């Protein structure tokens, strides 16, 4: 009863904070507001739903698939919620500069270049091409293949897959730039390529990438704020619903479309029930509780794992002399017996899980308290700075936030770094070219 009350209280606090920053302040604090937009439904609201449907979190450990009963797990989970939310409350309580004070809506000349939009689009198309090539299958074979079926293909190249993921992760920047610059032909071409990628990969990152780029473009175009109309709110909820129930389309409906015998009347209700307790929507809550349970009761941890991954990101693990740990998602997936060697890392431990496993359940509180300060810094940086890093941040922030909340810290940060480096190189060479160009008298 007490835990249920605490969960309801944190859900109310989270919703109030989200309302204040997203509706009343209209996303002026962009980083904090976008973070809350993703965090509150997954970590504050769903635990109340999970308590009603399954009496708590369902363990993602394949050897412990029942609900986690340890009350201390839920108390610590809500303590993390409180620390993060109260930190954001204080960091966003300061006065927000008006649009005229920050030069809102302005774009540097290099961002308005047609060649920039075209080049980013070309890299995005290259990423999809490399992805198809990495699977060793033809486009026709990929269309009818099940998800990850190509992992078993002898011609599959994991190296090419990783490289392609970086180029495809430029999609938010491509959507942002083409939409902001009104390059509608390139925007339509980018959307078609991403839809094609989604059909081939059976993945949904493309939807998140598109939403991330559109959100950023709307933010800049509206003088560094976003007013969510009823229509926009509807489409936002619609997109969230698609993402939450994507597995139905990816599984049952796909099987039905390719001619398999499927009883939709029976399978879809069963799948919906499964998705509400064990699917992608409750995953963030379930995996956080699982990581907490493993650290509390089994002593499982990855000492300073998150810090070592981020500080030594530039070093390959095998050549870091033990400074950089292996991908945390892969280590955690092994610990919960999730997947084989080919698909290691398919179950990240969530943001709370990252903090708990890297710094122990008690040490993670310190970094949870520092996290809102980092969001506040990003809020100020986005409002006051211009350049490639700002473009990379605002265009990819929504997608990177969802990746980070899931626990994929590498993709959440590395993709933004790669986007910023790519945009910086384009800006450098375009500036150098303009300087060398002879003036015509």
């Amino acid at each position: 009863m007490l835990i249920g009350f605490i969960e309801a209280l944190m859900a109310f606090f989270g919703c109030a904070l989200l309302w204040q920053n997203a509706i009343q302040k209209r996303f002026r604090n962009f980083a904090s507001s976008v973070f809350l937009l993703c965090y509150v439904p997954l970590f504050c609201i769903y635990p109340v739903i999970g308590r009603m449907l399954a009496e708590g979190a369902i363990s993602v450990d394949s050897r412990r698939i029942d609900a986690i009963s340890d009350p201390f797990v839920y108390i610590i989970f809500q303590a993390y919620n409180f620390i993060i939310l109260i930190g954001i409350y204080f960091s966003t309580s300061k006065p927000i500069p008006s649009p005229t004070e920050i030069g809102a809506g302005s774009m540097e000349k290099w961002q308005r270049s047609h060649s920039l939009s075209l080049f980013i689009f070309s890299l995005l198309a290259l990423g999809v091409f490399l992805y198809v090539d990495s699977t060793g299958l033809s486009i026709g074979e990929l269309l009818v293949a099940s998800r990850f079926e190509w992992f078993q293909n002898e011609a599959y190249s994991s190296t090419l897959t990783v490289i392609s993921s970086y180029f495809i992760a430029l999609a938010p920047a491509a959507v942002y730039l083409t939409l902001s610059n009104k390059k509608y032909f390139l925007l339509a071409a980018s959307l078609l390529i991403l839809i094609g990628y989604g059909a081939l990969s059976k993945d949904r990152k493309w939807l998140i990438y598109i939403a991330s780029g559109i959100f950023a473009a709307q933010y800049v175009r509206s003088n560094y704020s976003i007013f969510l109309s009823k229509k926009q709110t509807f489409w936002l909820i619609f997109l969230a619903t698609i993402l939450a129930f994507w597995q139905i389309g990816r599984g049952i409906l796909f099987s039905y479309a390719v001619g398999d015998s499927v009883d939709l009347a029976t399978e879809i209700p069963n799948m919906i029930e499964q998705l509400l307790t064990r699917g992608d929507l409750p995953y963030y809550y379930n995996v956080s509780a699982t990581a907490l349970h493993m650290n509390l009761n089994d002593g499982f941890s990855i000492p300073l794992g998150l810090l070592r991954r981020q500080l030594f990101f530039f070093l390959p693990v095998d050549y870091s002399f033990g400074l950089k740990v292996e991908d945390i998602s892969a280590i955690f997936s092994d610990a919960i017996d999730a997947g084989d060697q080919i698909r290691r890392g398919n179950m990240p431990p969530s943001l709370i899980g990252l903090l708990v496993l890297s710094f122990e359940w008690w040490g993670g509180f310190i970094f949870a308290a520092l996290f809102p300060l980092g969001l506040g810094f990003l809020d100020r940086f986005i409002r006051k700075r211009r350049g490639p890093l700002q473009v990379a941040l605002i265009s990819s922030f929504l997608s990177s936030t969802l990746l980070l909340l899931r626990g994929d810290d590498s993709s959440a940060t590395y993709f933004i770094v790669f986007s910023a480096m790519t945009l910086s190189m384009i800006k450098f060479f375009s500036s150098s070219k303009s300087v060398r160009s002879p003036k015509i008298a």
Side-chain angles (χ1 to χ4, degrees):
M1 182 66 72
L2 175 61
I3 294 175
F5 173 76
I6 295 174
E7 289 172 341
L9 189 63
M10 285 299 103
F12 176 80
F13 184 25
C15 289
L17 199 56
L18 176 60
W19 176 269
Q20 180 186 59
N21 283 272
I23 305 300
Q24 294 182 333
K25 296 184 178 180
R26 300 187 178 185
F27 287 86
R28 293 287 189 198
N29 293 307
F30 185 76
S32 297
S33 300
V34 171
F35 177 83
L36 287 171
L37 183 66
C38 301
Y39 184 86
V40 171
L42 297 170
F43 289 82
C44 300
I45 297 177
Y46 180 79
V48 177
I49 300 173
R51 178 69 54 185
M52 292 187 295
L53 295 178
E55 298 183 358
I58 304 294
S59 175
V60 300
D61 191 329
S62 61
R63 296 155 297 190
R64 305 172 180 171
I65 57 175
D66 54 339
I68 295 173
S69 58
D70 186 351
F72 201 39
V73 167
Y74 299 104
I75 293 174
I76 296 175
F77 177 87
Q78 293 302 331
Y80 273 96
N81 264 348
F82 178 75
I83 290 172
I84 291 173
L85 293 177
I86 198 69
I88 293 177
Y89 170 78
F90 284 112
S91 69
T92 58
S93 61
K94 298 178 182 178
I96 304 169
S98 65
T100 56
E101 291 175 313
I102 60 176
S106 61
M107 294 182 67
E108 292 184 280
K109 183 178 180 180
W110 67 277
Q111 290 179 236
R112 299 194 296 269
S113 168
H114 176 75
S115 59
L116 171 62
S117 299
L118 182 61
F119 192 71
I120 292 294
F121 165 77
S122 300
L123 292 179
L124 174 61
L126 175 62
V128 177
F129 170 80
L130 291 176
Y131 165 75
V132 175
D133 189 50
S134 72
T135 65
L137 301 177
S138 67
I139 292 179
E141 290 171 329
L142 280 173
L143 284 172
V144 297
S146 61
R147 194 177 184 222
F148 301 129
E149 182 177 324
W150 50 90
F151 281 171
Q152 307 297 332
N153 189 353
E154 292 182 358
Y156 167 71
S157 171
S158 59
T159 301
L160 273 182
T161 299
V162 172
I163 294 174
S164 72
S165 68
Y166 278 87
F167 286 115
I168 294 172
L170 291 171
V175 173
Y176 165 75
L177 290 169
T178 54
L179 185 58
S180 298
N181 297 330
K182 299 181 179 180
K183 309 295 183 183
Y184 295 124
F185 176 79
L186 286 177
L187 174 62
S190 299
L191 296 180
L192 286 174
I193 284 180
L194 289 171
I195 292 172
Y197 166 73
L200 296 174
S201 65
K202 316 301 186 298
D203 205 346
R204 55 180 164 192
K205 285 196 294 290
W206 63 279
L207 271 172
I208 301 173
Y209 286 156
I210 291 173
S212 191
I214 292 175
F215 215 72
Q218 180 69 20
Y219 175 69
V220 174
R221 188 165 53 185
S222 302
N223 290 332
Y224 284 66
S225 66
I226 297 177
F227 172 71
L228 290 177
S229 64
K230 292 181 180 179
K231 182 179 179 181
Q232 290 170 326
T233 302
F234 168 79
W235 284 112
L236 192 63
I237 295 174
F238 180 72
L239 174 62
T241 303
I242 290 178
L243 294 175
F245 292 94
W246 179 264
Q247 287 172 315
I248 293 179
R250 191 174 66 194
I252 296 175
L253 297 183
F254 176 76
S255 299
Y256 180 80
V258 297
D260 292 346
S261 178
V262 178
D263 183 4
L264 294 180
T266 302
E267 292 296 331
I268 289 182
N270 291 338
M271 178 62 80
I272 290 176
E273 182 182 355
Q274 286 292 309
L275 290 180
L276 288 175
T277 56
R278 304 173 188 268
D280 294 325
L281 176 64
Y283 176 81
Y284 299 80
Y285 174 55
N286 290 342
V287 77
S288 298
T290 302
L292 271 166
H293 187 275
M294 292 170 67
N295 183 256
L296 280 167
N297 298 288
D298 303 329
F300 176 69
S301 65
I302 308 171
L304 302 179
L306 182 58
L307 276 182
R308 292 159 67 185
R309 288 288 300 177
Q310 297 302 313
L311 290 177
F312 303 106
F313 73 92
F314 54 90
L315 293 175
V317 174
D318 294 337
Y319 299 96
S320 66
F321 303 101
L323 294 174
K324 182 179 179 181
V325 298
E326 192 181 8
D327 184 65
I328 296 175
S329 299
I331 298 174
F332 181 74
S333 294
D334 290 346
I336 60 175
D337 196 22
D340 52 29
Q341 289 296 311
I342 297 177
R343 290 186 57 192
R344 293 181 70 221
N346 61 320
M347 296 186 75
S350 84
L351 172 62
I352 292 178
L354 284 174
L355 297 177
V356 169
L357 298 181
S358 298
F359 311 110
E360 302 293 341
W361 68 266
W362 46 269
F365 288 142
I366 299 173
F367 291 88
L370 295 175
F371 193 79
L373 297 179
L375 289 174
F377 170 80
L378 292 178
D379 289 331
R380 294 187 294 274
F381 180 89
I382 290 172
R383 290 199 303 265
K384 296 180 180 180
R385 295 287 184 264
R386 300 293 179 268
L389 180 55
Q390 190 232 29
V391 175
L393 268 174
I394 59 176
S395 62
S396 298
F397 198 81
L398 176 61
S399 55
S400 287
T401 296
L402 285 171
L403 288 171
L404 180 61
L405 291 181
R406 189 172 171 82
D408 191 352
D409 63 299
S410 299
S411 297
T413 54
Y414 295 0
F415 286 164
I416 287 182
V417 171
F418 179 74
S419 295
M421 290 175 60
T422 301
L423 293 169
S424 296
M425 290 176 62
I426 295 173
K427 180 183 179 182
F428 173 78
F429 285 112
S430 62
S431 299
S432 300
K433 183 179 179 180
S434 63
V435 170
R436 291 195 301 267
S437 299
K439 294 182 178 180
I440 300 175

